[in-house]
Amino acid sequence: MNISAADVKKLRDATGAGMMDCKKALIEAEGDFDKAVDILRIKGAAKAAKKAGRGTGEGIVYSYIHHNERVGVLLELNCETDFVARTEDFHELAKQISLQIAAMKPRWVKREDVPEEVIAKEKEIYTEEMKDSGKPEHIVEKIVENKLNKFFEDNCLLEQEFVFADEKGTKIKDLITSAIAKIGENIQVSRFARFEIGE
Amino acid sequence: MNISAADVKKLRDATGAGMMDCKKALIEAEGDFDKAVDILRIKGAAKAAKKAGRGTGEGIVYSYIHHNERVGVLLELNCETDFVARTEDFHELAKQISLQIAAMKPRWVKREDVPEEVIAKEKEIYTEEMKDSGKPEHIVEKIVENKLNKFFEDNCLLEQEFVFADEKGTKIKDLITSAIAKIGENIQVSRFARFEIGE
């Protein structure tokens, strides 16, 4: 499909989209100008939705210091507006998450944050453990996968079971999802630090 | 100066010091056995002092949250005993250091913590800046060194000027040295975290 520079320019002028996006849209629309405009509109809406999903530029920095002062947690909890950041519900959520971090020592927020080399090392250990099991390879693979999931559940904050949950099996991500539903804004844990004396 | 293996062995047996230390001491003492023993004793005492200087296994985790809740600091401040960790003086020091971190955004505790690649990058920038200055190489080197020192003073907590100092020019390390003198125990900043919303 050959798209002329003039067509790209016309579409840019009509939609305000970027040059590469216009070119891609024209290729996708097989040169049909109106169809290309529709494609760009849909993409634009999707981008906006995605942005809203990520738009947690407000929030609070919260800290919890254990009464013996030997364990402390610093947490950045984000939401979409300054208004929500000041609510009691939002502070209560920050407190619960901080207590969880103090008690359960997660190492990362989510599994995507675990470095590749850590995952590789864990896999190596699990595979080594199964070496003489005599189990077929696909079973070993499945077991290694399960163990790795367990590792994520133990070490990633969002996947940990909430230690003060009323209902057994409630994970930190469930706690946050509930808060999002209640508060009506997207909420995200950006980062945390946990210091312990003598660690 | 020729030191025989037999002399080294004799000194080792007499003092319990390591082989290399014994050899060095004998060289320094120009073969005089008693003098070598003295040298090793002095070095041993210095080593012990150094060790005691490092023995900061106690302390507190302290936090400071700015009143707008958009900036927070977590600090691990160490001392030698639990007793000192509970004193008001020690807490006051922790507070002052935390306020400094909140206000002046240090990136590392001390210059030894700055990664090699960061230092290399800084040096590269400074050298590039001086490229067309026409200054001789040894002058350029001196200027680069000065700029690097300035970089450490800006970015390393211990080298920063204390922002609330009564006396101009007081660095954080001076603040800590004063506290050590007053409290009578070695004190160390192990680590800190500083979170800011929208950073």
Side-chain angles (χ1 to χ4, degrees):
Chain A
M1 182 79 218
N2 203 3
I3 305 295
S4 76
D7 285 341
V8 172
K9 189 180 182 309
K10 193 177 156 197
L11 188 57
R12 288 196 68 179
D13 292 345
T15 62
M19 195 182 67
M20 281 313 293
D21 284 338
C22 288
K23 196 171 175 184
K24 275 186 202 157
L26 281 164
I27 290 167
E28 206 182 316
E30 294 176 334
D32 184 325
F33 186 82
D34 293 333
K35 208 173 160 189
V37 171
D38 286 345
I39 288 167
L40 284 174
R41 286 214 175 118
I42 291 160
K43 278 196 181 149
K47 267 190 191 167
K50 211 172 158 191
K51 209 171 186 176
R54 284 202 313 259
T56 50
E58 294 296 325
I60 58 171
V61 180
Y62 189 92
S63 77
Y64 166 75
I65 304 288
H66 198 59
H67 60 81
N68 64 6
E69 295 182 297
R70 295 179 68 90
V71 177
V73 170
L74 193 68
L75 170 74
E76 178 176 346
L77 188 65
N78 295 109
C79 56
E80 295 175 37
T81 64
D82 191 35
F83 173 75
V84 161
R86 286 192 299 257
T87 61
E88 205 176 301
D89 283 342
F90 192 72
H91 280 76
E92 181 57 29
L93 179 66
K95 186 183 165 192
Q96 287 178 321
I97 295 172
S98 298
L99 285 169
Q100 172 81 16
I101 295 165
M104 300 311 289
K105 309 182 187 184
R107 295 165 65 189
W108 302 279
V109 175
K110 50 191 187 297
R111 64 169 71 194
E112 290 79 8
D113 299 336
V114 183
E116 276 304 325
E117 59 269 26
V118 172
I119 296 175
K121 186 80 203 157
E122 287 301 313
K123 274 188 178 169
E124 196 188 311
I125 292 166
Y126 305 149
T127 309
E128 189 64 24
E129 283 171 358
M130 302 293 299
K131 203 182 54 176
D132 300 322
S133 65
K135 290 189 169 66
E137 202 181 321
H138 70 281
I139 298 288
V140 170
E141 269 174 28
K142 189 70 203 162
I143 294 173
V144 168
E145 198 186 303
N146 288 345
K147 287 194 175 199
L148 197 61
N149 273 326
K150 181 73 172 60
F151 176 80
F152 290 139
E153 284 166 15
D154 287 344
N155 292 289
C156 299
L157 172 67
L158 298 186
E159 303 201 22
Q160 284 186 338
E161 274 203 31
F162 178 40
V163 75
F164 305 109
D166 296 328
E167 216 170 314
K168 210 177 138 43
T170 306
K171 288 173 183 285
I172 294 295
K173 61 182 170 188
D174 302 325
L175 192 73
I176 294 172
T177 303
S178 301
I180 292 172
K182 187 177 176 194
I183 293 171
E185 269 194 17
N186 193 19
I187 296 169
Q188 268 188 327
V189 175
S190 294
R191 48 183 172 166
F192 65 82
R194 181 190 186 280
F195 293 170
E196 181 165 354
I197 301 291
E199 205 178 39
Chain B
M1 184 76 220
N2 205 3
I3 306 295
S4 77
D7 286 339
V8 172
K9 191 179 179 308
K10 193 176 155 200
L11 188 56
R12 288 195 67 180
D13 293 344
T15 62
M19 196 181 67
M20 281 313 293
D21 284 338
C22 288
K23 197 172 176 184
K24 276 186 202 157
L26 281 164
I27 291 168
E28 207 183 316
E30 295 176 333
D32 184 324
F33 187 83
D34 293 334
K35 205 172 162 192
V37 171
D38 286 344
I39 288 167
L40 284 174
R41 284 213 178 121
I42 291 162
K43 278 198 184 149
K47 265 191 193 166
K50 211 171 159 192
K51 208 170 186 179
R54 283 202 312 261
T56 51
E58 294 296 322
I60 59 171
V61 180
Y62 190 91
S63 77
Y64 166 75
I65 304 289
H66 198 60
H67 60 81
N68 65 6
E69 294 181 299
R70 294 178 69 90
V71 177
V73 170
L74 193 68
L75 170 74
E76 178 176 346
L77 188 66
N78 295 108
C79 56
E80 295 175 36
T81 64
D82 192 34
F83 173 76
V84 160
R86 284 191 301 255
T87 60
E88 206 177 300
D89 283 341
F90 192 72
H91 281 76
E92 182 58 29
L93 179 65
K95 186 183 166 191
Q96 287 178 320
I97 296 171
S98 297
L99 285 169
Q100 172 80 17
I101 296 165
M104 298 311 288
K105 308 183 187 184
R107 294 165 66 192
W108 302 278
V109 175
K110 52 192 186 298
R111 62 169 72 193
E112 290 78 9
D113 299 338
V114 183
E116 277 304 325
E117 58 269 27
V118 172
I119 296 174
K121 185 81 203 156
E122 287 300 313
K123 275 188 177 168
E124 196 188 311
I125 293 166
Y126 305 148
T127 309
E128 188 64 25
E129 282 170 0
M130 303 293 298
K131 203 182 52 177
D132 301 323
S133 65
K135 290 190 168 65
E137 203 180 321
H138 71 281
I139 298 288
V140 170
E141 269 174 27
K142 189 71 205 161
I143 294 173
V144 168
E145 197 186 303
N146 287 345
K147 287 193 176 199
L148 197 62
N149 273 327
K150 180 76 172 60
F151 175 80
F152 290 139
E153 284 165 16
D154 287 344
N155 292 289
C156 298
L157 173 66
L158 297 186
E159 304 202 21
Q160 285 186 339
E161 274 202 32
F162 178 40
V163 75
F164 306 109
D166 295 328
E167 218 171 312
K168 211 176 136 43
T170 306
K171 289 174 183 283
I172 294 295
K173 59 182 171 190
D174 302 326
L175 194 72
I176 293 171
T177 303
S178 302
I180 292 172
K182 187 176 177 193
I183 293 171
E185 270 194 16
N186 192 19
I187 296 170
Q188 267 188 328
V189 175
S190 295
R191 47 183 172 166
F192 65 82
R194 182 191 186 278
F195 292 170
E196 180 164 356
I197 300 292
E199 205 176 40

